[in-house]
């Protein structure tokens, strides 16, 4: 660990920062102006590298590399514009965050499309002509292409800065980042501004991908591997701040290089592997930055969006029609195992559906009424599941007792994370919950002796009297129904109203004596508790538990369920969960390209039901009543 | 003893004194207008009284309790209601639920997770809505109301914990002249009925001169005049710093004549 | 009442019996297969082809015990929770007779435990983790592919023969990488007590910062490197290593790198002289392998990967086992698999009675960059049986049935 090796690692970090910055810059632009959480940004990056690969292959390498990089970026930019015009533009007026669902579907479609077009194998591109070799720096061979990348980052940063500060278009973009309604009021065609921004963002993602061609192979994992880091950079830098994105990219890339440089270190007799820390270092940075600076390093407080979609309709007392429907559903659920003895899989699937419904309902509880968009809700599901597994395996607690204790562990986790998170709002809150969830995931993934590490824990089966699937189904049914009824009751109670009040108008809430942050904190803990119930039920239904249960993928599934069902409808979480899980099961069984199929179905649902499925049904049945405001 | 006593109140932003040691008092049953040109320190003063801003120096005593350092919600619990320049209501609640929300909070039932909120003191909430003339729309979503009606609902919310002092920030901003007079007449009526005090800021001079019992005038963070509308109208300092050339003043006087 | 029920039952039975599918179902043996097809397509597409080839051959020859084999595959979404659900579905709805498949270790373990709990036969085809047959081993689970331990054990004698003192280690940061490195350290230390492990790098799976990692390894000035990276990580690592001169004058011992799945994408970056485990399909001259390659190429117009061999051998193993058991009854299958001998493209393998691990081996050789393409040279087949602990030791590693 000499000083010269440190210097070269700093250079490595600079090259890494440039790569990271290019993806993040586009995401930050899109995020800042359109408020779209563009999950597909990583997919656009991935397409950039694939397209560049094909172009260089077709022109036979050599000097064709450079035009291929540019053409690839442009192609991805055009695709971005098409996506914006054909898809996103139609759903800007949907409730907040709904566009996330559309971009999630795009991720699925693009991934399968790439598999279909380019096949499953990793595709290693050519080295860049003229920059194929290395130069000697401090006695080490340093790739000349990395030197080029070190320059590219600041050059793109400078160009973007000029574009944003020296052109009329740039002024509009900056204005829209601060207050997008204002730009609309100024008579600027907001639609085309959004299209242009989305196209530019996509182009930058494509460029970022294409420029990586000499450094890494095009492969189908790039989308998800990229998107997480890119979001972290955007948020750490401050949403909408391009220089902030560069600073954040630099910070994270250098910290990673530093960790790798340190390698395995002995401190006070403990062996610390800094190399292993690279698994989660960006999320640690994000957690620290957001706790200290709630709007990122160079961001500003988010202007409250005044016309963020449609206003939620007031809660109405449950009417007889709904009661009759619920009673019928409950009856069907009760007799289901008896009706399906010939097809016992129905019971198995129903257990999964019920657990998913409770998980999504617990997330809906804070996302909808309290307006807190948690991107890390799987943490509490996973905590509940792991707590259940550990209590049964290590402490030999009776399984029935763990169903009570495990949710409390999840709630305790939510208590800690909630304390930090409710100080923030909007996307920053979402990203802080994600950071904590990923840190929890990394701990579970690494702590072999306790959590079983990446393999997880097995042998988590229920007590003998529940071994039969039908018995376990009834246990799940009772717990899930009771939980959901209580959550619903809670939303109709003063606490639920106070959450909605705090979301609708924090100022007014404060002026009538409501401590909004405290309400949110309590809501966060309640949501964590019930996610923990779902997690514990899940663990015993599967007999094993693995880090996936608290990974960001699970959190995203939760978001997708809630948005699909309808953020503004009480039953939205449950309806979305059942739809998504059932679709997933059916489509995956019957289709080879099931990801694309699932994505396409979600896209159709997105376009048909911008209020979510439950929201749509509600509108059909109760639309008139909501409008005139009669008490039904 | 006066209901509200502000003394030596001051606040700076980045070295600039926005409010520089002002004193005033407010008695029960009185409508006190806080006026002054843009940048005079009206909003800063107002927000220090309601707790959104914390005063650097000075004291605000309400019924003998020091308000400096308290949060808005704590000040509300002492019996200080408020309305906002841009009306703040809960758009996903119905009109009556908006009022019930304040009643629930006043009864310290916010963390109740069992009994339905919609049945909490509904009659009382309807009564408050009747006072502001909104009982007929009680079950409509707040988001579909006309702006003038939203302002009335806000007033009903503010009255829910039976405040002794009502703080109104630009109560008639964004309203048509007819609505303005109706809202202020209503306010005046409520003040008389409830022996409540009102402190309000206002841009519209016709409203101020028609409804304020007394007014205080700020300029560059200092209090330059205080008195009844007649006294203020003829106050030389006010003429000088506030009304400038006097044209606005003349116009307002005309408007006032038309209105009366 | 009773009469009506009986009548209804009779009607239903008649209808069911009349359906051709049901009649057909009586004459097939259903193999339920669970795998991460969408998450690991590079390995699993050839694997699936291998299974299909075996299926065709077996059914063309009249099937097993007079019944045709039917394969039902399911995608587990690379998630153990989903894997258990689709396993339940295969068992309860499709009424499969046996379960097989899985690629990722944690999913393999989840199904291993599922098999134990449900007392259902499971042949883990590919997952490498040692735990499937040792720590978590159980009566109902067998495993085909050579484990992490076996593959590392095959490389250690080669590594010891290099007589290099300073070793650097690089591996993906999850169980497979960790246990490969732990085994390597333990076995090499035993074979060569003066060995020194000078640095360890454990980048996250799929996200190696290759430049920094390569430089950190080089700065530790090792004499030799043990690599466990694979897939996209390996490609990045090799390209950076080549550019930065990491491999100049250093021996590299690398797990799985000789498999076409991982070697072929390297193209002209393919390293020279690495000691690897792998599958040199282009050079194996045994008759059973030649027959396999010919049939495979004829059917798919593509060359086989290691996955093809695993998929092919998994189906062959199940067919042999069912034939030996003369039944698909779980207990009879378990008994039949103990000591079962199967002919595979790699020759005869045996499922050991003591730990349910097959003795399938691997090819160990040196890599060579031949005209811009990586191949294995000087390779030989190492029989897995020689790299497994003895029965007494296994007994300590494995819980009692």
């Amino acid at each position: 660990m000499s000083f010269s090796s440190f210097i070269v690692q700093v250079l490595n970090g600079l090259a890494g920062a440039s790569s990271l910055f290019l993806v993040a810059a586009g995401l930050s632009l899109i995020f800042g102006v359109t408020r779209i959480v563009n999950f597909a940004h990583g997919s656009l990056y991935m397409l950039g590298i694939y397209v560049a690969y094909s172009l260089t292959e077709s022109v036979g390498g050599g000097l064709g590399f450079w035009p291929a990089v540019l053409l690839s970026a442009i192609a991805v930019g055009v695709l971005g514009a098409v996506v914006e015009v054909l898809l996103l533009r139609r759903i800007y007026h949907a409730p907040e965050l709904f566009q996330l669902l559309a971009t999630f579907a795009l991720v699925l479609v693009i991934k399968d499309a790439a598999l279909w077009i380019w096949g499953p194998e990793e595709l290693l591109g050519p080295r860049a002509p003229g920059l194929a070799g290395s130069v000697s720096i401090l006695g080490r061979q340093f790739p000349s292409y990395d030197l080029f990348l070190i320059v590219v980052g600041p050059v793109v940063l400078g160009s973007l800065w000029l574009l944003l500060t020296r052109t009329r278009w740039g002024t509009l973009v900056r204005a829209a980042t601060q207050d997008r309604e204002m730009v609309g009021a100024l008579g600027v065609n907001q639609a085309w501004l959004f299209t242009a921004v989305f196209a530019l963002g996509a182009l930058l993602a494509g460029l970022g991908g294409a420029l990586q061609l000499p450094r890494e192979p095009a492969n189908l994992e790039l989308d998800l591997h990229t998107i997480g880091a890119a979001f972290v950079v955007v948020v750490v830098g401050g949403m909408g701040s391009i220089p902030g994105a560069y600073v954040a990219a630099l910070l994270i890339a250098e910290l990673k290089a530093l960790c790798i440089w340190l390698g395995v270190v002995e401190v006070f007799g403990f062996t610390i592997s800094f190399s292993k820390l690279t698994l989660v270092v960006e999320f640690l940075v994000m957690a620290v930055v957001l706790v200290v600076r709630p709007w990122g390093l160079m961001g500003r407080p988010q202007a409250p969006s005044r016309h963020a979609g449609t206003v939620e309709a007031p809660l109405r007392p449950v009417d007889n029609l709904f009661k009759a429907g619920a009673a019928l559903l409950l009856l069907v659920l009760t007799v289901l195992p008896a009706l399906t003895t010939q097809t016992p899989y129905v019971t198995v699937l129903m257990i999964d559906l019920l657990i998913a419904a409770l998980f999504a309902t617990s997330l809906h509880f804070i996302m909808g009424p309290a307006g807190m968009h948690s991107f890390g809700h799987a943490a509490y599901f996973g905590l509940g599941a792991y707590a259940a597994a550990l209590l049964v395996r290590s402490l030999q607690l009776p399984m029935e007792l763990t169903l009570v204790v495990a949710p409390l562990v999840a709630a305790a986790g939510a208590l800690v994370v909630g304390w930090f998170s409710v100080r923030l709002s909007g996307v920053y809150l979402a990203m802080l919950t994600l950071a904590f969830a990923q840190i929890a995931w990394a701990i579970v993934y690494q702590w072999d002796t306790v959590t079983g590490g990446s393999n997880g824990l097995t042998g988590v089966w229920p007590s003998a009297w529940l071994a039969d699937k039908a018995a376990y189904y009834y246990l799940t049914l009772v717990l899930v129904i009771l939980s959901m009824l209580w959550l619903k009751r809670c939303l109709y109670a003063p606490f639920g109203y106070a959450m909605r009040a705090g979301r609708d108008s924090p100022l007014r809430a404060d002026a009538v004596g409501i401590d909004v942050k405290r309400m949110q904190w309590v809501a966060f803990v309640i949501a964590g508790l019930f996610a923990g119930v779902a997690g514990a039920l899940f663990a015993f239904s599967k007999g094993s538990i693995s880090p996936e249960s608290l990974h960001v993928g699970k959190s995203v599934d939760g978001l997708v369920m809630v948005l699909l069902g309808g953020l503004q409808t009480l039953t939205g979480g449950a309806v979305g969960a059942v739809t998504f899980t059932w679709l997933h099961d059916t489509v995956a069984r019957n289709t080879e390209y099931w990801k694309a199929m699932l994505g396409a179905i979600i896209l159709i649902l997105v376009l048909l039901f911008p209020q979510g499925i439950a929201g749509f049904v509600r509108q059909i049945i109760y639309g008139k009543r909501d409008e005139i405001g009669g008490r039904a | 003893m006066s209901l509200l006593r502000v003394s030596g109140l001051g606040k700076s932003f980045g070295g600039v004194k926005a409010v520089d040691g002002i004193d005033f008092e407010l008695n029960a049953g009185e409508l006190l207008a806080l006026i002054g040109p843009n940048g005079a320190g009206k909003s800063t003063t107002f927000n220090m009284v309601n707790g959104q801003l914390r005063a650097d120096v000075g004291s605000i005593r309400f019924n003998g309790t020091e308000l400096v350092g308290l949060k808005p919600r704590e000040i509300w619990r002492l019996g200080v209601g408020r309305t906002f320049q841009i009306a703040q209501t809960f758009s996903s609640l119905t009109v009556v639920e908006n009022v019930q929300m304040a009643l629930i909070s006043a009864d310290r039932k916010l963390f109740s997770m069992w009994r339905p909120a919609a049945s909490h003191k509904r009659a009382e909430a309807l009564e408050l809505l009747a006072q502001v003339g909104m009982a007929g729309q009680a079950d409509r979503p707040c988001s579909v109301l006309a702006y003038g009606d939203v302002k009335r609902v806000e007033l009903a919310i503010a009255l829910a914990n039976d405040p002794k002092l009502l703080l109104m920030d630009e109560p008639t901003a964004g309203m048509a002249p007819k609505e303005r007079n109706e809202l202020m007449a209503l306010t005046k009526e409520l003040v008389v009925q409830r022996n409540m005090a009102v402190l309000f800021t206002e841009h519209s001079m016709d409203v101020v001169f028609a409804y304020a019992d007394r007014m205080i005038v700020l300029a560059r963070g200092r209090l330059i005049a205080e008195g009844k509308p007649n006294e203020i109208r003829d106050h030389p300092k006010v003429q000088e710093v506030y009304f400038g050339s006097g044209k606005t003043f003349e116009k307002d006087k005309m408007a006032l004549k038309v209105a009366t | 009442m009773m009469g009506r029920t009986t009548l209804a039952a009779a009607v239903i039975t008649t209808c069911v019996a009349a359906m051709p599918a049901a009649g057909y179902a009586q004459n097939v043996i259903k193999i339920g297969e669970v795998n991460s097809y969408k998450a690991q397509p590079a390995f699993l597409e050839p694997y699936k082809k291998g299974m299909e080839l075996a299926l065709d051959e077996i059914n063309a020859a009249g099937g097993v015990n007079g019944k045709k084999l039917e394969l039902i595959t399911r995608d587990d979404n690379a998630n153990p929770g989903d894997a258990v659900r689709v396993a339940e579905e295969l068992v309860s709805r499709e009424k499969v007779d046996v379960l097989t498949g899985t690629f990722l270790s944690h999913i393999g373990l989840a199904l291993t435990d599922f098999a134990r709990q449900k007392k259902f036969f499971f042949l883990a085809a590919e997952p490498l983790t040692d735990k499937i047959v040792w720590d978590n081993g159980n009566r109902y689970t067998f495993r085909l592919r050579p484990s992490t331990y076996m593959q590392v054990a095959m490389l250690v004698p080669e590594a010891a023969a290099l007589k290099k003192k300073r070793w650097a280690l690089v591996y993906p940061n999850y169980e497979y990488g960790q246990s490969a490195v732990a085994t390597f350290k333990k076995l090499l230390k035993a074979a060569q007590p003066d060995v020194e492990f000078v640095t360890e790098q454990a980048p996250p799976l799929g996200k190696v910062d290759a430049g920094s990692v390569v430089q950190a390894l080089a700065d530790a000035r090792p004499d030799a490197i043990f690599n466990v990276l694979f897939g996209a990580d390996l490609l990045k690592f090799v390209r950076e290593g080549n550019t930065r001169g990491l491999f100049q004058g250093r021996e590299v011992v690398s797990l799985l790198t000789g498999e076409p799945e991982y070697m072929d994408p390297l193209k002209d970056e393919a390293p020279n002289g690495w000691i690897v485990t792998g599958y040199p399909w282009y050079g194996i001259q045994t008759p059973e392998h030649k027959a396999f390659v010919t049939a495979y190429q004829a059917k798919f117009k593509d060359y086989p990967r290691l996955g093809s061999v695993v998929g092919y051998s998994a189906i062959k193993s199940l067919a042999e086992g069912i034939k030996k058991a003369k039944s698909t009854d779980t207990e009879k299958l378990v008994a039949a698999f103990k000591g079962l001998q199967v002919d595979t493209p790699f020759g005869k393998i045996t499922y050991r009675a003591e730990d349910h691990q097959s003795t399938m081996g691997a090819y160990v050789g040196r890599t060579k960059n031949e005209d811009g393409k990586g191949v294995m040279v000087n390779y030989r087949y190492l029989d897995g049986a020689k790299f497994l602990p003895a029965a007494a030791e296994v007994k300590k590693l494995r819980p009692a049935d």
Side-chain angles (χ1 to χ4, degrees), chain A residues 526-585:
Chain A
I526 293 173
L529 181 82
F530 285 99
V533 173
L537 284 171
F538 177 80
F540 290 115
S541 80
K542 300 294 176 190
S544 60
I545 191 69
S546 72
E548 268 88 359
S549 62
L550 39 68
H551 191 248
V552 56
K554 178 83 189 170
S555 294
V556 171
D557 282 353
L559 283 172
V560 166
M561 291 169 189
V562 169
L563 293 171
L564 195 60
L567 188 60
Q568 300 185 340
T569 317
L570 275 196
T571 49
V575 171
V578 169
T579 312
F580 181 74
T581 313
W582 178 79
L583 264 181
H584 197 301
D585 180 73

Side-chain angles (χ1 to χ4, degrees), chain A residues 60 89 102 141 308 419 452 456 486 488 582 629:
Chain A
R89 190 179 281 189
Q141 287 169 249
W419 190 79
W486 189 80
K488 185 215 143 240
W582 178 79

Side-chain angles (χ1 to χ4, degrees), chain A residues 483-629:
Chain A
S483 299
M484 298 213 309
L485 283 177
W486 189 80
L487 284 172
K488 185 215 143 240
R489 181 105 202 178
C490 193
L491 288 179
Y492 274 88
F495 183 77
Y497 273 60
M499 285 199 301
R500 293 159 71 93
R503 174 200 63 188
D504 286 356
S505 170
L507 277 175
R508 169 48 72 200
D510 203 21
V512 294
I514 301 173
D515 186 344
V516 176
K517 296 295 169 200
R518 170 142 323 168
M519 306 290 311
Q520 290 184 334
W521 192 22
V522 173
F524 203 87
V525 174
I526 293 173
L529 181 82
F530 285 99
V533 173
L537 284 171
F538 177 80
F540 290 115
S541 80
K542 300 294 176 190
S544 60
I545 191 69
S546 72
E548 268 88 359
S549 62
L550 39 68
H551 191 248
V552 56
K554 178 83 189 170
S555 294
V556 171
D557 282 353
L559 283 172
V560 166
M561 291 169 189
V562 169
L563 293 171
L564 195 60
L567 188 60
Q568 300 185 340
T569 317
L570 275 196
T571 49
V575 171
V578 169
T579 312
F580 181 74
T581 313
W582 178 79
L583 264 181
H584 197 301
D585 180 73
T586 311
V587 174
R589 181 153 4 93
N590 296 317
T591 326
E592 191 186 344
Y593 283 88
W594 63 266
K595 286 202 167 171
M597 181 70 121
L598 186 63
I601 293 173
I602 293 176
L603 281 180
I604 292 168
L605 293 176
V606 160
L607 291 173
L608 285 180
F609 312 128
Q611 304 289 321
I613 297 167
F616 174 77
V617 173
R618 177 197 160 115
Q619 204 168 20
I620 294 291
I621 301 177
Y622 298 118
K624 197 110 194 151
R625 187 191 68 178
D626 286 348
E627 226 163 78
I628 56 163

Side-chain angles (χ1 to χ4, degrees), chain C residues 217-285:
Chain C
L217 292 176
D219 283 337
R221 302 189 196 294
D223 303 326
I225 297 166
F226 178 60
N227 167 58
V228 194
L229 300 179
F230 61 92
D233 284 339
L234 177 75
L235 302 184
K236 282 196 269 184
F237 176 68
V238 171
R239 175 160 278 180
E240 283 288 339
N242 285 340
T243 311
R244 294 176 189 244
L246 173 66
F247 310 128
Q248 278 165 20
R250 292 198 175 97
E251 295 284 358
V252 179
V253 174
S254 191
L255 207 56
L256 310 187
T257 308
E259 296 176 6
E261 284 89 337
Y262 306 129
M263 182 80 119
D264 294 354
L266 278 164
K267 294 189 275 197
D268 57 351
E269 295 284 336
N272 273 309
W274 286 21
I275 298 168
V276 296
T277 59
Y279 172 43
W281 63 273
Y282 31 81
I284 303 170
Q285 299 300 335

